[in-house]
Amino acid sequence: MAYNYDDQNIFAKILRGEIPNNTVLETEHSLAFRDIAPQAPDHVLVIPKGAYVCFDHFALEASDAEIVDFTRAVGEVAKQLGVQPGESGAGYRLLSNAGDDGVQEVPHLHVHLVAGRPLGRMIQPAR
Ligand code: AMP
C-alpha cells in the first residue's frame, strides 16, 4: 500500500514553524503539544516529526529510532502531566484516529493523550 502524505496538513505546518503551537515536549524525532480544542483538562497530541499519515504507516516505514523515540515521548508526556496510574495520577487515555471511519481530520500521525477527568466509555455511539 502506498501512503500519500500531504505536506500542507496543519501538523506539517506546525513542524515547519509556520504556525504556533503550545509545546509540551520536543525530542529528536517527536513533538507533543496541547490540542487547540481540548476534550478534557489535559489533551495533548504527540506526533512524529517524520512524514507519516497514520499509525500503520508509521509502524511500516519508520525507523526503530523513530518508533522508540515516539513511544518514549508519549510516556514522558504522561509523566510530565502527572497522570500515570498507580502513582499520584489518575490515569489517561491514548487514542489515534486513522482514515474515514476513524474520523481522522489531520492526515499526519498523532496520538491523543487525554486526561484530567473521568473519561467514560471508550467509544460513544455514532450519531
Ligand atoms: P483527529 O480527528 O484525530 O485528526 O484530530 C485532530 C485534532 O487536531 C483535533 O483534536 C483538533 O482539535 C486538533 N488540532 C487542529 N488544529 C490544531 C492546531 N493548530 N493546534 C493544536 N491542535 C490542533
Side-chain angles (χ1 to χ4, degrees):
M1 146 134 204
Y3 294 93
N4 294 313
Y5 181 81
D6 172 13
D7 67 4
Q8 293 306 306
N9 78 74
I10 199 150
F11 295 167
K13 291 178 181 178
I14 284 176
L15 287 167
R16 289 195 294 267
E18 294 169 8
I19 60 172
N21 73 93
N22 190 345
T23 299
V24 173
L25 176 74
E26 181 167 11
T27 65
E28 182 179 3
H29 296 295
S30 308
L31 181 68
F33 53 93
R34 291 200 174 265
D35 196 292
I36 203 167
Q39 303 293 309
D42 286 312
H43 186 167
V44 174
L45 302 172
V46 188
I47 69 173
K49 291 181 177 177
Y52 303 104
V53 176
C54 55
F55 198 91
D56 51 286
H57 186 197
F58 185 67
L60 196 65
E61 295 189 3
S63 68
D64 290 1
E66 289 175 297
I67 291 170
V68 168
D69 182 295
F70 183 73
T71 304
R72 294 211 192 285
V74 173
E76 180 61 25
V77 169
K79 184 178 171 192
Q80 283 195 17
L81 296 175
V83 296
Q84 314 104 298
E87 302 290 331
S88 57
Y92 56 91
R93 180 168 295 153
L94 295 181
L95 183 70
S96 189
N97 297 318
D100 292 341
D101 281 358
V103 196
Q104 181 179 8
E105 293 175 3
V106 181
H108 181 113
L109 168 60
H110 50 283
V111 168
H112 298 253
L113 193 158
V114 184
R117 64 167 172 82
L119 294 165
R121 293 178 65 86
M122 187 172 73
I123 304 288
Q124 303 300 326
R127 276 179 269 193

